[in-house]
Amino acid sequence: MDEPDGFEEFYRATRQRVVTVLYALGGDLAEAQDAAQEAYVRAWQRWSQISGYDDPEGWVRTVGHRLLINRWRKIRNGLVAQRRQGPPPAAGPPSENTVALVAALRQLPADQRHVIVLHHLADLPVADIAEQTGTPTGTVKARLARGRRALAALLDATLPEEVSNA
């Protein structure tokens, strides 16, 4: 993508000042950097118009400051909602079955674990898994079958015939 005329020079000349101002306004360097980055993206998208302004840097600072304010509002609204609703209920510990399954999955080779998780936890059909992983359908089926057998052995479970021959 071609760089609009003058934007790169403008960015290099102003970025440190803009981040410094936003950092001073917000008190959080990471938030200031994020807001500045988003403001510069917006400026770049409209550079043909903004480059003609008397103070393009002021436009970027203003947009960055508004982005910081919007983030503060979202955080504040989230805190207000949390106070109103109370804290979320405490999650109980994972079941023994969950712990055993996760431990068994960790022992599988990565390719088998990947297809097992996508098929059984994300409910994806074999064709979709093949497409997402860039793997032939037959390979996905073979990995599922091997992974199921390995999981059955690790979990000391027996699989029905139709599952073990998938």
Side-chain angles (χ1 to χ4, degrees), residues 70-111:
N70 287 340
R71 289 179 183 161
W72 297 331
R73 285 181 184 143
K74 286 179 185 177
I75 291 169
R76 182 194 66 209
N77 291 343
L79 290 172
V80 168
Q82 184 179 9
R83 280 190 215 120
R84 192 176 321 131
Q85 296 173 359
S95 70
E96 288 180 30
N97 290 340
T98 300
V99 172
L101 177 61
V102 170
L105 284 169
R106 286 182 179 156
Q107 294 180 52
L108 292 180
D111 57 349

Side-chain angles (χ1 to χ4, degrees), residues 1 5 37 59-60 65-66 77 85 95 109 114 134-135 145 158:
M1 191 180 299
D5 291 338
Q37 180 180 9
W59 185 93
V60 171
H65 188 233
R66 288 178 181 160
N77 291 343
Q85 296 173 359
S95 70
H114 193 187
T135 308
T158 54

Side-chain angles (χ1 to χ4, degrees), residues 1-5 44:
M1 191 180 299
D2 290 336
E3 190 78 28
D5 291 338
W44 184 81

Side-chain angles (χ1 to χ4, degrees), residues 112 115 126 136-149 166:
Q112 291 176 16
V115 297
V126 171
T137 303
T139 303
V140 171
K141 289 179 181 179
R143 289 176 181 171
L144 277 170
R146 282 190 223 112
R148 288 173 180 147
R149 279 194 299 276

Side-chain angles (χ1 to χ4, degrees), residues 7 13 58 68 81 86 94 109 114 125 137-138 162-163:
F7 181 80
L68 284 177
H114 193 187
T137 303
E162 69 271 6
V163 172

